Structure formats: structure tokens, C-alpha cells
Amino acid sequence: MNLLILAAFLLIAGILAACNSTSTPAPPDGLGGQNGLLQQDGRGAGGPNWNSAGTGGVEAAITWAESFVAGGQSAAQGPSYHLWCLAFAANAYGAASAQANSAWDLAKTLHLNDPTDPGKAPRGALMFFDFTSTNLSYRLWGHVGISLGPNPPEKAPRGVTWGDGTMISARSTVVIDTHIRTDRFWGLYYRGWAWPPAKWGPLAQQAPESVKTANNNPQPAGNGCQIQCAGSGSTIQNPGNPNGNGGNGGSSGGGSTQPPTPTFTPTATPRPPTPTFTPTLPPPPATYPETAGGVAHTWTNYLNAGGTQGPSINAYQTVQMACKITGFKVADGNTWWYRIAQSPWNGVYYVSADAFYNNGQTSGSLQGTPFVDPNVPNC
């Protein structure tokens, strides 16, 4: 009887394990760095170490990044970038600071292209991954790598085809991944690519231009004909009959002269004028005023009330908040924090909601006021 009960228990446990095994693909080793302003300088045992090249765009950034792979620089020579994926990408483009808390925070400020096709990420572009739908410990941070472009056929590993996409990024170490589209983990959480923000400096500003290719040469289109398309229509050049027989002014013998063959000159149909498109800018995101009941300190890392300290908020000062999020627990047990929208914090700094009235008051005691304003949306 005991053996039957044990067998039934093991069968049920196996079924439950099989059901749960498909919830989240196993992540690669050493994934999940926060890294933007928290480790803003990319400091290692050797001190600040970011790319000092002033020109070269994409290739300068990739050359610097690849120096950390397989026997390149180590933590003794500069930063190890252990779990600092965003700091690594920013430093590669010569920026001392990524000016964002995490890879996914930066991604939300950029326009992401081709979200379903990692193979289209140009060489040097930033490739972003979003884990907020998972239960991973680093789900709020996301991940970012620098695209190395499509896999060349002669370098693609077995089972990886042209256009699968490759990237270099910082995980537990700096590594190159060559199978983004076909990988069960990367392919599931890829969200698109974007060029590095121009505020990162000259290399980031040069990136889009440094990979452009121009080809303005017209292509041949048939025997002796050249077709050249322009914005106002097409023109066709026809050199006629090169032998002179039966063509304009040709002779057919017997002393008789045939009437000249009519010359047909095609006339391009003019295209209608292109309508002028005036883009409509989206309205600025909503913000929510909150008044501090005392001096409130601001930080870039709401998870441990640390990172870089920003300007303090004065007592009874009203500031505009973007959203609320849970983080470091203050003395009275309040875990709510606000992301500060207005200047000079500009959405980069956070402040504990515990220092605010959270109910429309602008003066008086904080005693008995709510922990957070429920009207402020979650981040």
C-alpha cells in the first residue's frame, strides 16, 4: 500500500513539473544587470575606463567592446562589467554614464525597430530585451547588447542561418551571442533595436552615418536602353536601330523610297503632387503634483535608496510625479517611491512617497496621511 501511495505521489509531481517547465525558458548564464546610473562610471579596480575614441562611430565602439572578450581586458585593467550590460554599452560608445537606471528604462525612451526580427538589427545598433512578463529576479531591468550585424555564412555556427542576428553584451562576463532569433530565450524576449542616444557623445552621434551605404548608379535595363527613375516620373532613352535598315531614312531597293517610319517618343505621365504631411506630436505624458511635508532626498536607485543622489526637494515644495513603484522600505514600513518627472530630476531620480502628503494637502503634519497617492499610476 505504501509503495502504491509513493508511486502515485511521484506521478503527480512529474505532471506538475512538466506543466511548469514551459513557463519561462532558462536564461543564459550571468544575466540581469541594472547598471545605468547605479554604476555610472563603469568603475573597476583600475578606475574609470570608457572608450576614449572621438571618431569612428560603430567600428570604434565594437573594437573597444570586443577587447573584453576571450583574454582581453580584465577587472584588474578596468571594469569587469559583471552584470552591467547598460554601463558596458554606454562606455563602448564613449559615455561615462548611460543616463538611465536600467536597459529597459532606456529602451522606453527610444523608438524600437523590427521587434520581431533580430536579424535586421544593423551593426552597432543597441538590441533590447524585456523580461517584465517573467518572474525573474531582474525582470524590471531588461538587457541590452550591441549588434554585430547578421551572421556571415562562413562564421555562422551549425544550425544558425544568415540573418539570425549577433550581439556582444555584458553578462557575468562580456560575451558574443550568435543565435538571437533562433535561441529559445533571446528570441522570446527580444523587443527591437535602436541607435544609441545622441546624448552619449560623438561616437553615438556618428553611429547611424558610419554604417550607411549609398548606391546612386543607374542599372542597365535591356539592349541599348537605360531606364532611370526620378521623383517626377520616368524617362526612356532609345538609340534606335544601330544597323540603319528599315529605320529612319533607310532604303529598301528598286529606286523607291519608303515613307519615313514614324518615331514614337513615349511621354511620361506626371505623378500627382505628394501631399504634405504634418505630423501631429503626441501630448506630453500626464504628471501628478505631490507636496512634500519635509525635506526629501532623491536617488537614482529606488531599490536600495542609493546610487547617485540628486537635488533634494524642499519642505512644502510641490513637484510633478510620473508614476509610483515599490522599492526600499523606509522606517515606518512604507515601500512606495515616486519617479520625479519635472526638471531637474527629469524622470531619472526617485523619492520615497513617505515624505509627501499624498492626499492633496500642501501644509500641516504628515501624521495620519496615506503612504502613497492612489491616483498616481504604477511605473
Side-chain angles (χ1 to χ4, degrees), residues 96-363:
S97 167
Q99 301 183 48
N101 258 338
S102 66
W104 192 238
D105 278 348
L106 177 63
K108 288 186 286 188
T109 69
L110 304 173
H111 174 73
L112 300 187
N113 302 279
D114 304 311
T116 61
D117 193 350
K120 291 184 178 179
R123 184 171 171 85
L126 302 181
M127 303 178 73
F128 289 98
F129 302 83
D130 172 25
F131 309 132
T132 53
S133 62
T134 74
N135 58 0
L136 300 171
S137 60
Y138 44 81
R139 65 185 187 86
L140 297 179
W141 300 339
H143 188 70
V144 63
I146 300 175
S147 170
L148 300 181
N151 298 311
E154 68 275 9
K155 294 184 179 180
R158 180 177 298 176
V160 178
T161 59
W162 174 271
D164 276 342
T166 60
M167 73 173 178
I168 182 170
S169 67
R171 300 198 326 235
S172 56
T173 59
V174 176
V175 295
I176 294 176
D177 288 289
T178 58
H179 52 284
I180 305 303
R181 179 192 290 153
T182 57
D183 185 87
R184 184 166 176 257
F185 183 85
W186 291 125
L188 181 61
Y189 298 116
Y190 178 72
R191 294 297 180 263
W193 65 268
W195 290 117
K199 63 186 178 182
W200 280 6
L203 292 184
Q205 295 160 15
Q206 297 161 16
E209 294 297 328
S210 64
V211 296
K212 282 185 177 179
T213 57
N215 181 14
N216 297 321
N217 297 324
Q219 300 297 314
N223 297 330
C225 293
Q226 182 175 335
I227 299 177
Q228 190 171 27
C229 296
S232 59
S234 300
T235 59
I236 302 177
Q237 300 169 351
N238 189 341
N241 187 339
N243 298 319
N245 295 327
N248 297 343
S251 173
S252 62
S256 62
T257 303
Q258 293 182 344
T261 303
T263 300
F264 172 70
T265 303
T267 303
T269 303
R271 295 179 181 176
T274 303
T276 301
F277 172 70
T278 303
T280 301
L281 297 177
T287 57
Y288 304 84
E290 301 293 342
T291 303
V295 175
H297 301 291
T298 66
W299 306 93
T300 57
N301 188 351
Y302 58 88
L303 294 174
N304 64 0
T308 301
Q309 185 171 5
S312 296
I313 298 173
N314 295 325
Y316 312 118
Q317 181 180 354
T318 300
V319 294
Q320 298 295 323
M321 306 300 183
C323 57
K324 67 181 187 293
I325 192 168
T326 56
F328 180 77
K329 182 189 295 185
V330 298
D332 65 356
N334 193 351
T335 60
W336 285 105
W337 288 68
Y338 290 129
R339 179 186 290 172
I340 313 169
Q342 74 179 58
S343 178
W345 301 276
N346 298 322
V348 175
Y349 293 87
Y350 296 80
V351 64
S352 172
D354 203 57
F356 295 81
Y357 290 108
N358 302 323
N359 60 3
Q361 283 184 234
T362 57
S363 63

Side-chain angles (χ1 to χ4, degrees), residues 40-83:
Q40 61 173 338
D41 296 329
R43 290 190 179 92
N49 180 32
W50 48 81
N51 194 350
S52 60
T55 60
V58 162
E59 295 308 319
I62 290 177
T63 298
W64 182 92
E66 288 180 337
S67 71
F68 289 84
V69 179
Q73 299 187 57
S74 67
Q77 299 164 297
S80 68
Y81 292 105
H82 176 70
L83 306 183

